[in-house]
Structure formats: C-alpha cells, structure tokens
Amino acid sequence: MYNKMWHQTQEALGALLDKEPQKMVEPQRNQVFIFQTLATFYIKYVQIFRNLENVYDQIVHPQKRILIRKVLDGVMGRILELKNEMVELELTEFHYFDDILQDLKLAPQQLDIPIPKYFLKEKLEVIKGREKILAQILADSGIDTSEMKFPVKSMPFDQAVKLIQIAERARQGRLRALFMKQIYLQEYRAKQSKTLGKKVTDTWAAALCIQKVWRRFHQCKKTEKLREEEMIFLGMNPPPLFNEVSATVIQAEKVDRLRNEVQMKHEEDYREALVTIKNDLKLIEGLDIKENLQDQIRHWFIECRNLTGTFPDYPDIEEGGSAIIFSNKTIQQVQICLRNEVMKNGMSPSLFFPLEGCNAYTSIEIWMNKDESWNFSQDFDPELIKEEKRKELESEIRVQVDELMRQELKNLKLAVDREREHPAKVGKKKKKKGKKGKKKEKKTKKDKDLTADRTIESLYKELVEEGLLIQALKVNLSDYIGEYSYLGTTLRQVSIEPMPSLLDVRQLITLYGIWPLGSAAVHEKAPLVKSLLLAGPSGVGKKMLVHAICTETGANLFNLSSSNIAGKYPGKNGLQMMLHAVFKVARQLQPSVVWIEDTEKTFYKKVPNAEKTNEPKRLKRHLPQILKLLKPDDRILIVGTTRRPFDAELQSFCRVYQKIILVPRPDYASRYVLWKQIIERNGGVLTSALNVSCLAKVTDGFTQGHIVKVVKAVLTDQRLRRQIHKPLTAVEFITAITSMDPVYKEEEESFKNWYAKTPLGKKRALAITGGSTEKAKDKGKRK
C-alpha cells in the first residue's frame, strides 16, 4: 500500500516540477497572480511532504528509505524557498490561503506542517546519552533541576507560624460545623416524627405521590438519554468511549514499535552489506576493472596519436583524471540544464530541485518497474548494492591507474616522440600552490582557538556547572494549541492587517526553527535563518516554543540571558572566553539553540539604575559579529524572547534578529480549543453542564498562561473526585480568573505599532498605503 502511495506522490511531485517553469516563463506584473501561483505551489508541496513523510515512516526497505529521504529533504527545502519568495512578495511573515484552500477543496488542518519523525529517531541514542551526561553533571555539582523548574520562595518564621495557625483554626471550625449539623438533623428528624405520628396517613395517597415522583424522574432520564443519542448521531457530541484508548490503537502502537525494530535491523544489515559486498567485488572484479581501464586509456593514446600525430596531455587530478575523457552528458542531464535556463526567466531557481530530484527519479523508476515478489521481508537488494559499489570501486581504482598511465604516457613520449616536459611550467604551478597555502595559513591565524588545550567534554561540563547550558523541558510543538485564522484574507481585502493566529505562529516555528535544525541538508541550501525573535505579552507561550524547538530536534539549549550571565566570566577577556566556549560546544554538538530571554535588556535604550550592576548590555556589540561567523553548515539558531520590545533600540535590535514573529493572545477559536484540551489534560470531564463556548467568550484577552493557572487552581484532587456527583461548571473557572489581569487591546495595539516600525513592517505599510513593492524594497535597502 505504501509503495503505491509513494509512487503516486512521486508522480504528483514530478508533475508539479514540470508545471513550475511553465507557469513562470512569462514575467507577471500582477502581484496577486504571482502570490496565488506561489501559494498554490506551496500548498501542493505541503501535501506532497505530508504523504512522503508518512511513507518514509512506514516503509522498512533500507534502500527505498534512503531514496525517499533525499526527496523528502528536497521537498522541505523547496517549501522553505517558496515561503521566502512569498515573504519577499507580500512583505509579511504571515499569509492566508482561505480562497486557495476552498478552490483545492482542502481543510485548514491539511495545511498544518508536520515535523518529520526521523529528526529524533535517527539520533535517539545520542540524545539519551547526552541527557544522562547532563543529569550526571548536574547531580555531581549539586544543582537540583526540580528546584530550577519550581523555585520555592522563602518565608519568615513568624509568617509561617501564622499560616499554620490559620490552617489549624480553619480545620477545627470545619469539624465543629459538621458536628453542629449532625445535632440539628437529629433534632429535625425527632420533630418530624412527632408531627407525622399525630396525623392519620392515607397509604393510597402516599403511594400515588411516590409513583408520580418516580415516573417524572424516570421520564426525565429517558428524555436526556434520547437527546444525548441524537446529539451523538448528529456529530455534535462525542460518543461515550471517545476519550478511552481502544484495542485497535493499542495494537497499532505495538505494530509501530515492531516496525521501528525492523527498520533498525534492516539498516544495520544494509550497512554491513555495503562493506562486505565492496570487499568481495574488490577481490573478484578488482583486477578485471583495472585491466579494462588500462586498455581504454591505451586505446585513447593510440587514437590521439593516429589523429594528431602526437600523444595527448594527461588530465590532472583536479580536472578529474581519466574520468573526464570518457564522460558524456546523458539526455537527462541536458533536460536539467534546459529546465534551469527556463527557471531563470521566471521563478527563482531551486537549489533542491530539479538537480537532486531528477537524479532521484531515475532510481525511483527502477523501483516502480521492479519485481519484488522474492523480497517479502523488504530487506536490501544486493544487486543494486553491487552496481553502486562497482562504480565506487572503479573510481578508486581509476586513481591508481591514472598514476600508472601518466608514467606510461611519459615513457611513450620519451621513447617515440622524444618529447620532454618543461620543468619551468611545473615550477610555476608549484609556486602558485605555495602562495595559496600561505593564504590559507593567514586565514587560519585570524581564527584563534582560545581553548585549544581543552576537550569538548571539559568545556561542556564547565558550561553546565555555570548554568549556561541548561536542560530543555520535554515539550512538543503539538502542545502549543491553537486554531486557524478564518478571517485573514477577508480583513486584508479591506486593508486591515489581522493579528496572526497561534497556528500561524506554530507553522513559522516549524519552518524557521525546527526544519533547518533537524536536517543538515535543508540547513545548508535553504534560505539561511540565523536568528529568531519571539515578541509578545507574558503568558502567550514564548518560552514554551523555545523548549519545543529543542525537544523536536534534540538540540542543546544555551541560556545567554542577561540575568543568567550576570557576574559570570567578568571582564572583556572573560566575555570573549564565554562566547568562544559556548559557540565551540554548540558547533561540535549541533544542532544547538542559543536562547536570550528578555532580550530587550541587551539592547536597552537606557539601562535602569536597578539593573546597572548586572551589565545587561554585555552582548550587544558581540552578537552581530557572532552572526557573521555562523556558516550554512553551522546548525545554530539564536532565539530571543521579549515581552517589552519597545524598551530596546530598534535599529540594533532588528540588525541582530533576522526574523521577528509576533506571538499574539489567543482568539475565540483558539481559546475554545485551549479550554477543552487543558481541562481534559488535567483530569477534568466535559459535560453539558460546562459551557465551553461561554467560557471562551468571557475570557477574551486572557492568555494561555492564565488558562493553565486557572485550570490547575480549580481542578484540585478533591474537586476531581467530586466530578461524578457535581459536574464542572463555567462559573468555577470564571470566579478563579477574575483575580487576574488580562492583556488589554491597547497592549496588543502597542505590539502592532512597534512591529510596524521594523524594516519589514515599514515595507508592508508602504505597500498597503499605495507604494509599490519595489519602492518599499529600495527604501529598506537604503536604510
């Protein structure tokens, strides 16, 4: 089934690659048409990626998985390229595809970008080993991680005694009230028995009264049951066992674990076969390959001698040796060149497709037409390994043959043509190489290693003990709950810039943070994002997103916040040593995330008197230099979080942070989903008595942090036990949230106004007010 799905997805990808140059041959001046085209390609690539990721996770054949992985990385890179083009066109990080999704008949949920599972699967052992080392260092140094997560506030002795007294008096009061209630009930029952004893009771009337009450109760229950069944039938309420894990799901989890074991076993067998088959080929066919190569080159000598009258010059090693003599372009390579020429006229050429894609297509066609009836277990194919290793062995033997044939050609020239080589030319070449070597030496002298005498392990331990390398919380990006913005396109049509939704923020974190850090191939060729800024009010989940990036990619987390580095590595030399150690370890153990919390303090306009002793602006001059030194093969991401970006110098702030993402307060749709899921995750049961819609409407302006605090405060152990007899109601949560301050609209507007002053925000504002995109870009460049 998954082989068929792979073939269908690959055909869809091939058709999409053929359509791209056709759509973009003629340059279009209409920006709306260009955006619609880019957005359509973007959505289709996302659908292809979702299918390929599913196929890669399910297939166990090792050679097929390698091929799918290459195409998967290429699709990821192409999605990032299209995203970059859309940002440059619309001058905003957030895009809305309501009309396009409607045309393609897709739901907004299908636009959600998944995180490949292989990011963690392929380096699970490395991550576990690193976590053990980190936990051991923290234990040896006496740093308790539980205290770091949940700090305990100290309390004066008198206040503690007073608190204990209040609790004890309250306990005694509750016991006395219970005792007095029992006495009152006893007295009430005694009075009732006396009054009833005096009256003449009518048994028939009493039976009739009981019958009425019972029938009414029974009919109410029956009506409630019928109404509940009707709501379930209409799909407005979940079925009774909806939240319980079914046997099918448990069985699927078992199959998933078994499949992972089979994948690992087949990959190990494949790696062993690569070595053994190559050694066998070397023993059996090595001499034949060597003789064939020598015969081909000798034949070339004779042909050139017959045609030109002299022996040819042998190609140098830098030029490719004898391989360049017998290399001819195939039809597919010619098609690739033509396609690249067409792509230059319209859409910007991709660094991922079609070069990598076309090389992969030839292998895919082999698998599509291959009979695998003999390979039921889906183990490796030895014949394909032989073909691959035969080429590899030939290239290795060719190097040895080239050395022999150069000497043979030299002897032929001396014996037959009496030609001698000119030593002057060789000397000149050597001199040039010597100059190049000197230049390289000069470059290496500039990059001084301040810790050349120390190992990575010792630096790692030191950074952990100093609190600069911290343990990331286990938080998945899927835990950042949010909904799609359904009014984005409508608002933009009337020139109103909408606030982004939480789902939009989650997608940007995936595209700019998780994908490049998770895949080295994507990070090297995709549009490079070195730094990321998350700006928004407190409680919207900025810190959670930072930890989610580390969890999803297995990245190390370095904390360079001004409050964390205060008093550590003092002086100019100390600061240089700290930054050198941090980024040296980050490069060696990549992927890595460098987190700067409250990053506006690093770029203060004016440092408050209370914070002058902490020197919050220590990193201000060094961060731009660090960003220049980061290369495409360095999977390091600098992430800053801020709740007061207006306190920072805007120019230097925007110079450091390449991408700025506004993290908004949740809208109604997101609040509705948040209340439901957070209540259920904390043990709450949703019933008809709890009006979640009303709760989401009333709590407008409150953040995810507020909702989590309220749910944890209301759903105590005692309240969870009483849910059977007394279901949860919205009033309980509303009463608890009234003591908290929401994020008012004025504060949200202040964030929007600040973002409008950033370079991208200025370009967007100029484009909306009537200026062209080109003018906006030119204005941004001049500044």
Side-chain angles (χ1 to χ4, degrees):
M1 183 182 78
Y2 288 103
N3 283 324
K4 186 178 179 182
M5 186 178 178
W6 174 33
H7 297 157
Q8 290 173 350
T9 306
Q10 202 66 47
E11 286 174 0
L13 177 59
L16 196 60
L17 286 171
D18 291 334
K19 282 181 183 177
E20 278 194 29
Q22 293 172 10
K23 288 280 185 181
M24 292 296 174
V25 167
E26 296 180 2
Q28 297 287 336
R29 293 184 180 181
N30 189 353
Q31 290 187 6
V32 177
F33 175 80
I34 296 172
F35 175 75
Q36 294 278 341
T37 307
L38 289 172
T40 304
F41 284 137
Y42 174 82
I43 293 170
K44 288 183 178 180
Y45 271 115
V46 169
Q47 302 309 308
I48 289 169
F49 171 76
R50 291 169 69 92
N51 293 335
L52 278 176
E53 201 276 326
N54 191 17
V55 168
Y56 182 77
D57 184 56
Q58 298 291 330
I59 284 181
V60 298
H61 198 293
Q63 289 157 303
K64 290 180 183 178
R65 281 171 59 82
I66 291 169
L67 187 58
I68 296 169
R69 171 68 181 275
K70 289 179 181 178
V71 181
L72 197 59
D73 286 339
V75 173
M76 277 196 289
R78 188 61 188 141
I79 290 172
L80 291 174
E81 288 175 340
L82 289 170
K83 174 66 178 177
N84 188 53
E85 289 182 33
M86 287 192 293
V87 170
E88 291 178 354
L89 183 69
E90 279 210 318
L91 302 173
T92 179
E93 299 289 350
F94 301 98
H95 313 287
Y96 303 100
F97 312 111
D98 307 346
D99 49 348
I100 302 172
L101 288 174
Q102 191 174 359
D103 293 340
L104 296 174
K105 297 180 181 180
L106 296 173
Q109 290 75 18
Q110 291 176 281
L111 197 60
D112 193 17
I113 300 171
I115 299 167
K117 296 172 186 174
Y118 68 83
F119 281 0
L120 293 178
K121 274 185 181 179
E122 293 183 354
K123 49 186 177 183
L124 196 60
E125 293 181 3
V126 177
I127 294 170
K128 285 182 179 179
R130 194 190 303 157
E131 286 178 352
K132 285 182 182 179
I133 294 168
L134 182 58
Q136 186 64 40
I137 294 170
L138 290 171
D140 294 342
S141 58
I143 302 172
D144 190 3
T145 54
S146 60
E147 290 181 4
M148 293 167 64
K149 294 176 188 176
F150 307 102
V152 180
K153 294 181 180 179
S154 59
M155 184 183 293
F157 180 76
D158 296 340
Q159 190 177 351
V161 170
K162 188 178 179 180
L163 189 64
I164 294 169
Q165 286 178 345
I166 291 168
E168 179 60 24
R169 286 169 185 167
R171 187 186 67 82
Q172 291 179 5
R174 286 194 296 271
L175 290 174
R176 182 172 179 79
L178 184 63
F179 179 66
M180 294 303 293
K181 184 180 179 181
Q182 290 174 353
I183 293 172
Y184 170 76
L185 290 173
Q186 286 177 0
E187 291 177 353
Y188 178 76
R189 291 189 192 111
K191 286 180 183 179
Q192 286 291 104
S193 60
K194 287 180 182 179
T195 54
L196 289 172
K198 292 178 182 177
K199 292 182 180 179
V200 180
T201 56
D202 187 357
T203 54
W204 288 102
L208 186 62
C209 183
I210 293 169
Q211 196 177 48
K212 286 179 180 178
V213 172
W214 166 249
R215 285 182 175 177
R216 179 177 174 278
F217 173 77
H218 181 69
Q219 187 60 39
C220 286
K221 288 290 181 183
K222 189 177 179 181
T223 306
E224 285 179 7
K225 187 178 180 182
L226 289 171
R227 188 177 296 146
E228 185 68 23
E229 288 176 356
E230 183 182 6
M231 298 296 281
I232 292 169
F233 176 75
L234 294 172
M236 299 184 72
N237 281 348
L241 302 176
F242 181 74
N243 293 324
E244 293 186 9
V245 181
S246 63
T248 309
V249 175
I250 295 170
Q251 182 64 26
E253 290 176 353
K254 287 182 180 178
V255 172
D256 190 37
R257 286 195 295 270
L258 289 171
R259 185 175 59 251
N260 290 338
E261 291 175 4
V262 172
Q263 284 176 351
M264 291 174 65
K265 184 180 180 299
H266 283 187
E267 285 179 5
E268 288 176 5
D269 294 343
Y270 175 69
R271 283 194 291 268
E272 290 175 2
L274 290 175
V275 179
T276 55
I277 289 174
K278 185 178 178 180
N279 292 335
D280 293 342
L281 283 173
K282 194 172 184 179
L283 290 172
I284 297 168
E285 301 180 10
L287 291 173
D288 294 337
I289 293 171
K290 187 176 181 180
E291 289 175 2
N292 289 334
L293 289 174
Q294 288 176 335
D295 292 341
Q296 286 178 2
I297 295 168
R298 287 191 186 106
H299 186 67
W300 175 62
F301 291 166
I302 296 166
E303 282 186 350
C304 290
R305 168 78 177 179
N306 293 335
L307 291 171
T308 61
T310 58
F311 286 108
D313 293 330
Y314 208 93
D316 295 333
I317 299 172
E318 293 81 7
E319 296 174 353
S322 61
I324 198 173
I325 303 166
F326 306 102
S327 65
N328 294 315
K329 280 192 174 182
T330 62
I331 297 170
Q332 290 175 348
Q333 288 174 334
V334 173
Q335 289 175 351
I336 289 168
C337 295
L338 291 172
R339 184 180 286 178
N340 285 338
E341 289 298 322
V342 173
M343 292 287 282
K344 286 177 185 177
N345 296 328
M347 188 186 298
S348 59
S350 174
L351 296 175
F352 296 90
F353 291 120
L355 295 175
E356 288 184 3
C358 289
N359 291 334
Y361 292 152
T362 54
S363 303
I364 290 164
E365 288 174 1
I366 293 169
W367 288 110
M368 288 176 71
N369 303 320
K370 195 174 181 63
D371 180 19
E372 292 187 271
S373 56
W374 60 273
N375 192 6
F376 180 76
S377 62
Q378 288 292 288
D379 208 344
F380 64 87
D381 190 336
E383 293 301 322
L384 290 177
I385 296 176
K386 284 180 182 179
E387 289 179 14
E388 180 186 346
K389 291 299 171 184
R390 194 174 282 115
K391 293 176 183 176
E392 190 178 316
L393 184 63
E394 184 179 337
S395 62
E396 291 177 3
I397 293 173
R398 189 181 290 279
V399 176
Q400 301 172 4
V401 170
D402 284 349
E403 293 179 4
L404 295 173
M405 298 310 291
R406 277 193 190 91
Q407 188 62 39
E408 186 173 327
L409 179 62
K410 186 178 179 181
N411 295 335
L412 283 170
K413 286 181 178 181
L414 290 171
V416 180
D417 294 339
R418 303 298 178 185
E419 292 180 359
R420 295 182 181 276
E421 293 182 336
H422 302 285
K425 291 183 179 179
V426 179
K428 286 179 182 178
K429 288 182 180 179
K430 286 181 180 179
K431 285 179 182 178
K432 286 180 181 178
K433 287 180 182 178
K435 287 179 182 178
K436 287 181 181 177
K438 287 179 182 178
K439 285 182 181 178
K440 287 181 181 178
E441 286 176 5
K442 286 180 182 178
K443 285 182 181 178
T444 52
K445 285 179 182 178
K446 289 180 183 177
D447 302 330
K448 291 182 180 178
D449 190 355
L450 302 176
T451 56
D453 56 337
R454 295 186 59 182
T455 61
I456 293 295
E457 289 77 12
S458 65
L459 291 173
Y460 185 89
K461 185 178 180 181
E462 181 183 325
L463 293 174
V464 172
E465 290 173 348
E466 290 291 337
L468 299 178
L469 201 160
I470 62 175
Q471 193 169 16
L473 302 177
K474 296 295 179 183
V475 181
N476 294 319
L477 192 64
S478 57
D479 297 331
Y480 190 77
I481 305 163
E483 255 299 340
Y484 184 78
S485 178
Y486 297 94
L487 295 175
T489 304
T490 308
L491 291 172
R492 280 192 175 172
Q493 285 174 353
V494 293
S495 300
I496 298 174
E497 189 63 24
M499 281 298 286
S501 67
L502 300 184
L503 187 64
D504 296 329
V505 173
R506 193 169 73 189
Q507 287 186 355
L508 287 183
I509 294 297
T510 304
L511 293 172
Y512 292 153
I514 295 174
W515 276 12
L517 288 179
S519 174
V522 173
H523 192 275
E524 286 177 8
K525 296 181 181 179
L528 188 59
V529 177
K530 299 179 181 179
S531 56
L532 195 64
L533 176 65
L534 304 176
S538 59
V540 294
K542 300 183 294 295
K543 189 187 296 185
M544 177 185 176
L545 290 172
V546 175
H547 287 279
I549 292 172
C550 297
T551 303
E552 298 289 0
T553 59
N556 299 286
L557 181 58
F558 298 87
N559 188 355
L560 292 186
S561 306
S562 58
S563 57
N564 191 46
I565 64 174
K568 298 174 184 176
Y569 296 92
K572 185 179 179 181
N573 294 332
L575 182 62
Q576 288 179 350
M577 180 62 73
M578 179 189 74
L579 293 174
H580 173 78
V582 165
F583 283 92
K584 183 177 181 180
V585 175
R587 281 190 180 91
Q588 290 291 326
L589 305 178
Q590 56 184 307
S592 300
V593 173
V594 179
W595 175 35
I596 306 176
E597 189 180 12
D598 295 330
T599 187
E600 77 278 356
K601 296 181 179 180
T602 308
F603 302 91
Y604 262 145
K605 296 175 184 175
K606 185 179 180 182
V607 181
N609 294 328
E611 297 185 28
K612 282 185 178 179
T613 54
N614 295 335
E615 297 182 74
K617 299 174 72 172
R618 290 178 73 191
L619 296 177
K620 183 180 177 182
R621 293 181 180 177
H622 296 273
L623 284 175
Q625 299 172 3
I626 290 167
L627 288 171
K628 288 180 182 178
L629 294 174
L630 292 180
K631 299 174 183 176
D633 56 345
D634 295 330
R635 284 188 289 158
I636 301 172
L637 181 66
I638 298 174
V639 183
T641 57
T642 175
R643 53 185 174 179
R644 294 192 58 83
F646 3 89
D647 293 345
E649 294 177 3
L650 187 61
Q651 191 175 359
S652 54
F653 208 38
C654 296
R655 194 183 300 122
V656 168
Y657 291 106
Q658 186 179 351
K659 296 288 182 181
I660 299 175
I661 301 174
L662 278 183
V663 186
R665 59 181 185 173
D667 55 7
Y668 169 78
S670 296
R671 288 196 305 276
Y672 183 83
V673 178
L674 276 164
W675 276 112
K676 285 183 69 175
Q677 294 202 20
I678 293 173
I679 288 172
E680 287 179 343
R681 287 182 185 183
N682 285 273
V685 178
L686 299 176
T687 61
S688 56
L690 178 60
N691 192 340
V692 182
S693 178
C694 173
L695 198 59
K697 190 71 176 174
V698 171
T699 54
D700 184 17
F702 290 94
T703 63
Q704 300 95 308
H706 290 133
I707 294 172
V708 170
K709 285 180 183 177
V710 167
V711 171
K712 287 184 177 179
V714 172
L715 296 182
T716 58
D717 294 338
Q718 184 181 2
R719 185 65 186 90
L720 290 173
R721 288 194 296 269
R722 290 171 56 204
Q723 282 186 104
I724 302 170
H725 308 291
K726 187 181 178 183
L728 295 170
T729 59
V731 178
E732 298 177 67
F733 298 100
I734 293 170
T735 306
I737 208 168
T738 50
S739 59
M740 300 179 181
D741 294 326
V743 177
Y744 294 103
K745 200 169 184 179
E746 292 77 12
E747 186 176 351
E748 191 177 70
E749 287 296 324
S750 64
F751 276 95
K752 287 179 71 174
N753 294 334
W754 171 83
Y755 184 78
K757 296 175 184 176
T758 61
L760 193 63
K762 285 180 180 178
K763 294 177 187 177
R764 176 69 184 170
L766 184 62
I768 290 172
T769 53
S772 65
T773 310
E774 292 178 0
K775 288 181 180 178
K777 288 178 181 177
D778 292 339
K779 189 175 179 182
K781 285 178 182 177
R782 287 172 191 171
K783 290 185 178 181

